[in-house]
């Protein structure tokens, strides 16, 4: 049976999460499929940040560290994030950036591993992991005389031997949307004696995550993607309590000290996750992040992450079905795994011009290798953006669409696919204006 616009409207009409859309300011005429890169603005953010500027900073001045609760923000926001990723109160702090938090936890994990088993000198990760994760790991391995071993997803299990200290993975792949089974992969890593570091950048607020249920060791994640914390929002870090007090992390700034206001010349690490703080936090950004977290927590009365995940899968299933039905023959093919357990909240399509003469292999086999007929993806995304359908492009031929169930509906999905179909069918994307590159894609 073909899906119709009517079906999509009916699904929206009986969607219990529908009212959550009103928590956001979304520009008229925009279908926002890029909340996986930068979540949209919660309506509460502008007045809340204005209040933090005018009252807390303007009137309260330095007193606000106490009177406005500035000092406890990393913990308070951390507890809210904890409820979204399966951590317990007091186990998460919101702080610094994802890259910096990765440096801290990977350092701690490597110190723990080498204290027990100095012969373990390898960090394993995925070749298609997000570059900053790989760069941080590469730099740290270089400094410590370790080896960073990059493998394909199907090679992970076999790569885990007695030389491996840490397995560092991103739970949902930024490029393909493929998701690891955190529990099974962690079990396999532990059987081999390795510790796990999970990056939840594309998971937190997007899929159900149960860090304790998976027996994970360390996790970090991003505040400005599905958590809607605003551009450059602070990230977060979680360390399992069995590890939290075992090692100093190397960015041992004064906020991670047991008693920062004693101003002693010697470092004494705070107990627990506070040890993973570094220095003074960006309070205004923290304030905006809290508004973003509250949009995700607003789903709790409706079933929380479980309900969000169910709707996200229904949206992505609908998108995939409509693309395959209505855009067939126009050169787009599905890159994201179809199976629910194997994917996050985004759908990636590969574009190969059906009229160009191509080497024999298929689109997905050519991932990472631009070639004849594979240059259109960037311009297609630009043409969609000009029509108000905001997704993004990942080189060389990926069209990436993120689906956030907090504010997207089924009619949005229908309309997005209609725009895509028209852009492809009319070759609108070939216009010059869509083929000029910007710095940020
Ligand atoms: C978005 C993302 C980051 C971002 O790191 P920043 O320090 O915020 O620039 C890191 N890792 C992954 C896997 C991401 O998806």
């Amino acid at each position: 049976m073909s899906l119709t616009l009517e079906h999509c409207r009916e699904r929206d009409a009986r969607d219990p999460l529908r009212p959550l859309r009103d928590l956001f300011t979304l520009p008229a005429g925009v279908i926002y499929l890029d909340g996986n890169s930068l979540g949209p603005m919660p309506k509460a953010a502008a007045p809340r940040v204005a209040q933090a500027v005018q009252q807390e900073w303007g009137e309260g001045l330095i007193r606000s560290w106490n009177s406005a609760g500035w000092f406890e923000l990393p913990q308070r926001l951390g507890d809210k994030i904890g409820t979204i990723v399966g951590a317990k109160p007091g186990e998460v702090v919101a702080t610094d950036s994802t890259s910096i938090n990765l440096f801290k936890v990977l350092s701690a994990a490597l110190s723990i591993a080498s204290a027990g088993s100095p012969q373990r000198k390898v960090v394993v990760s995925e070749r298609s992991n997000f570059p900053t994760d790989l760069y941080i790991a590469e730099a740290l391995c270089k400094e410590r005389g370790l080896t960073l071993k990059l493998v394909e997803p199907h090679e992970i299990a076999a790569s885990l031997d007695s030389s491996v200290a840490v397995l560092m993975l991103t739970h949902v792949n930024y490029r393909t949307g493929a998701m690891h089974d955190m529990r099974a992969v962690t079990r396999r890593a532990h059987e081999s004696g390795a510790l796990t570091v999970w990056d939840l950048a594309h998971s937190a607020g997007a899929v159900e995550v149960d860090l304790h249920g998976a027996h994970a060791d360390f996790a970090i994640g991003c505040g400005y993607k599905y958590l809607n914390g605003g551009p450059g929002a602070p990230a977060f870090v979680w360390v399992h309590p069995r590890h939290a007090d075992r090692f100093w992390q190397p960015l041992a700034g004064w906020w991670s000290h047991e008693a920062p206001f004693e101003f002693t010349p010697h470092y004494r690490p705070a107990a627990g996750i506070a040890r993973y703080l570094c220095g003074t936090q960006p309070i205004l950004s923290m304030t905006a992040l809290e508004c973003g977290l509250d949009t995700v927590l607003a789903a709790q009365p409706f079933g929380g992450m479980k309900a969000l995940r169910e709707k996200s899968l229904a949206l992505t299933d609908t998108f995939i079905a409509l693309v395959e039905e209505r855009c067939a023959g126009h050169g787009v093919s599905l890159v994201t795994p179809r199976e629910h357990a194997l994917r996050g909240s985004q759908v990636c399509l590969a574009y190969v011009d059906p009229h160009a003469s191509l080497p024999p292999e298929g689109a997905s086999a050519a991932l990472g290798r631009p070639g004849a007929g594979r240059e259109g993806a960037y311009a297609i995304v630009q043409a969609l953006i000009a029509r108000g359908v905001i997704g993004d492009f990942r080189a060389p031929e990926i069209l990436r669409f993120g689906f956030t169930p907090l504010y997207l509906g089924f009619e949005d999905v229908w309309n997005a696919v209609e725009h895509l179909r028209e852009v492809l069918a009319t070759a609108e994307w070939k216009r010059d204006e869509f083929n000029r590159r910007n710095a940020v894609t």
Side-chain angles (χ1 to χ4, degrees), residues 40-164:
M41 187 174 78
K43 277 185 189 152
R48 177 66 188 96
V49 172
Q51 182 202 25
V53 171
Q54 285 156 4
Q55 268 100 58
E56 297 178 8
W57 181 17
E59 304 287 328
L61 294 166
I62 201 165
R63 294 168 289 196
S64 287
W65 284 105
N66 294 311
S67 60
W70 287 355
F71 194 64
E72 293 81 31
L73 273 172
Q75 283 84 357
R76 193 150 62 81
L77 272 53
D79 283 350
K80 291 189 174 189
I81 295 167
T83 65
I84 298 169
V85 297
K88 300 195 176 104
E91 292 181 358
V92 177
V93 281
T95 185
D96 298 334
S97 69
T98 308
S99 304
I100 290 172
N101 289 333
L102 176 61
F103 178 79
K104 298 174 197 167
V105 296
L106 186 56
S107 301
L110 288 169
S111 296
I112 291 173
S114 71
S117 328
Q119 81 286 0
R120 291 182 179 267
K121 292 193 176 303
V122 174
V123 175
V124 170
S125 193
E126 236 184 286
R127 188 167 291 114
S128 65
N129 200 344
F130 191 80
T132 202
D133 297 50
L134 298 180
Y135 303 160
I136 294 279
E138 189 177 346
L140 198 48
C141 285
K142 191 160 172 249
E143 197 181 9
R144 294 192 178 203
L146 306 175
T147 304
L148 175 62
K149 184 174 173 186
L150 301 182
V151 300
E152 299 301 322
H154 66 272
E155 298 168 331
I156 292 170
S159 71
L160 294 168
D161 58 28
S162 60
S163 71
V164 177

Side-chain angles (χ1 to χ4, degrees), residues 172-306:
V172 175
N173 188 285
Y174 79 104
R175 225 167 154 272
T176 63
M179 179 166 72
H180 288 291
D181 180 340
M182 188 186 288
R183 194 187 166 108
V185 174
T186 300
R187 189 189 314 121
R188 178 70 191 79
H190 287 171
E191 280 164 9
S192 77
L195 294 170
T196 53
V197 170
W198 289 99
D199 189 329
L200 306 179
H202 289 274
S203 314
V207 299
E208 289 170 275
V209 176
D210 184 1
L211 288 168
H212 276 284
H215 304 290
D217 298 293
F218 299 85
I220 51 165
C222 195
Y224 52 79
K225 293 174 180 165
Y226 291 97
L227 297 179
N228 307 316
F236 66 90
V237 50
W238 171 83
V239 177
H240 193 286
R242 69 178 172 261
H243 301 307
D245 293 332
R246 287 175 71 182
F247 272 88
W248 298 10
Q249 54 92 3
L251 299 179
W254 69 308
W255 277 48
S256 71
H257 193 276
E258 186 181 28
F261 289 93
E262 281 180 12
F263 296 104
T264 60
H266 291 294
Y267 183 69
R268 293 195 316 273
I273 196 64
R275 181 176 302 196
Y276 284 78
L277 296 172
C278 181
T280 308
Q281 292 304 305
I283 297 304
L284 300 178
S285 296
M286 286 278 192
T287 302
L289 172 60
E290 186 160 31
C291 297
L293 299 176
D294 288 343
T295 64
V296 180
L297 297 178
Q300 275 179 341
F302 306 97
M305 281 312 304
K306 185 168 185 297

